[in-house]
Amino acid sequence: MAAASPIAVITGASSGIGAATARQLAAAGFRVVLTARRKDRIEALAAEITEAGHEATAYALDVTDRAAVDEFATAFRTLAVLVNNAGGALGADPVATGDPADWRQMYETNVIGTLNVTQALLPALTASGNGTVVILSSTAGLSTYEGGGGYVAAKHGEHVLAETLRLEIVGTPVRVIEVAPGMVKTEEFATTRFRGDTEKAAKVYAGVDAPLTADDVADTITWAITRPSHVNIDLLVVRPRAQASNSKVHRTV
């Protein structure tokens, strides 16, 4: 009898990097479990992946709802991979005038959501004998930029969570990988950040020759996960060639 496919849970899998990662991990031989709040999106993606000959299931989940996360975790006795992708940015106001509600929501989604899912699934990851936790942070968590205070604070929280967890569970059969992308052009990130203002969202990428795509980041995540189990990619920063730092971007216009 063939061995069952290893299971990978991806949060925030309804679009962008999460959806692209689900597709690539499925193609790499994982049975992917797609979670997000938008049930219709993840069910459609699960159907697409299944039709392509891979294994996928969808589970509607809000990572900030601890009771729901704990209930979700009961489905797993062992688990190979957790990709903490759920998160996002809201607004680009300076610290002096930023909305505390935006800061709170970003912290709840990016940091507490990652904490909730990681805590709930860590026993199953450990029980697998070869588990991997991926935390998708951002270059925003490594250096500041004007107008990004709330998002930078949240992503720094995720970065520190990854570093601390790695220290605390060393010696167990679980790796902690952090992938920190720079400028990535997806269909929703900037539009969500600017509350549906597509003109303002487009300016983020204006004149930039080939910002990263969701597939670029998913390829990086999949590569890190599929390294031999003794190899841990502690922190991988990935930017487009046109971006030298969070505030230094080459534009042709």
Side-chain angles (χ1 to χ4, degrees):
M1 181 180 296
S5 300
I7 301 171
V9 170
I10 303 101
T11 69
S14 58
S15 66
I17 294 169
T21 300
R23 292 185 182 98
Q24 293 200 27
L25 286 178
F30 289 88
R31 174 191 158 201
V32 293
V33 179
L34 319 175
T35 75
R37 290 174 297 176
R38 294 179 292 185
K39 185 179 180 182
D40 58 333
R41 289 281 195 105
I42 54 174
E43 286 182 342
L45 179 58
E48 173 199 319
I49 291 171
T50 301
E51 288 168 9
H54 309 304
E55 299 178 85
T57 57
Y59 190 103
L61 183 68
D62 179 349
V63 297
T64 67
D65 183 340
R66 184 54 187 257
V69 170
D70 286 342
E71 175 63 25
F72 169 68
T74 63
F76 304 96
R77 185 176 61 84
T78 65
L79 178 66
V81 175
L82 165 61
V83 179
N84 284 297
N85 169 73
L90 286 174
D93 300 312
V95 171
T97 57
D99 187 343
D102 287 346
W103 283 56
R104 186 173 294 110
Q105 185 173 337
M106 284 187 283
Y107 192 86
E108 286 286 337
T109 305
N110 290 280
V111 184
I112 302 301
T114 294
L115 178 67
N116 284 341
V117 181
T118 302
Q119 285 183 337
L121 292 177
L122 192 56
L125 287 156
T126 305
S128 74
N130 186 22
T132 299
V133 176
V134 177
I135 293 178
L136 190 75
S137 61
S138 168
T139 56
L142 307 176
S143 62
T144 61
Y145 60 94
E146 294 167 288
Y151 183 60
V152 168
K155 284 301 183 182
H156 182 71
E158 262 193 305
H159 168 64
V160 171
L161 190 161
E163 281 194 334
T164 307
L165 178 63
R166 190 180 301 113
L167 291 170
E168 292 172 344
I169 66 171
V170 67
T172 72
V174 179
R175 302 182 292 184
V176 180
I177 294 169
E178 180 183 358
V179 176
M183 181 181 284
V184 185
K185 186 177 183 179
T186 64
E187 67 268 29
E188 292 187 319
F189 180 84
T191 303
T192 299
R193 183 171 202 167
F194 296 113
R195 295 177 173 81
D197 188 331
T198 54
E199 183 177 345
K200 187 177 288 187
K203 289 180 180 178
V204 173
Y205 312 104
V208 179
D209 181 24
L212 296 178
T213 67
D215 283 331
D216 292 329
V217 181
D219 182 58
T220 300
I221 293 169
T222 301
W223 174 82
I225 290 170
T226 54
R227 294 313 85 206
S229 61
H230 70 285
V231 177
N232 194 91
I233 308 301
D234 283 15
L235 171 62
L236 198 162
V237 175
V238 52
R239 289 189 174 103
R241 185 174 61 188
Q243 183 183 31
S245 73
N246 288 344
S247 56
K248 180 69 172 181
V249 180
H250 176 71
R251 300 178 189 270
T252 57
V253 292

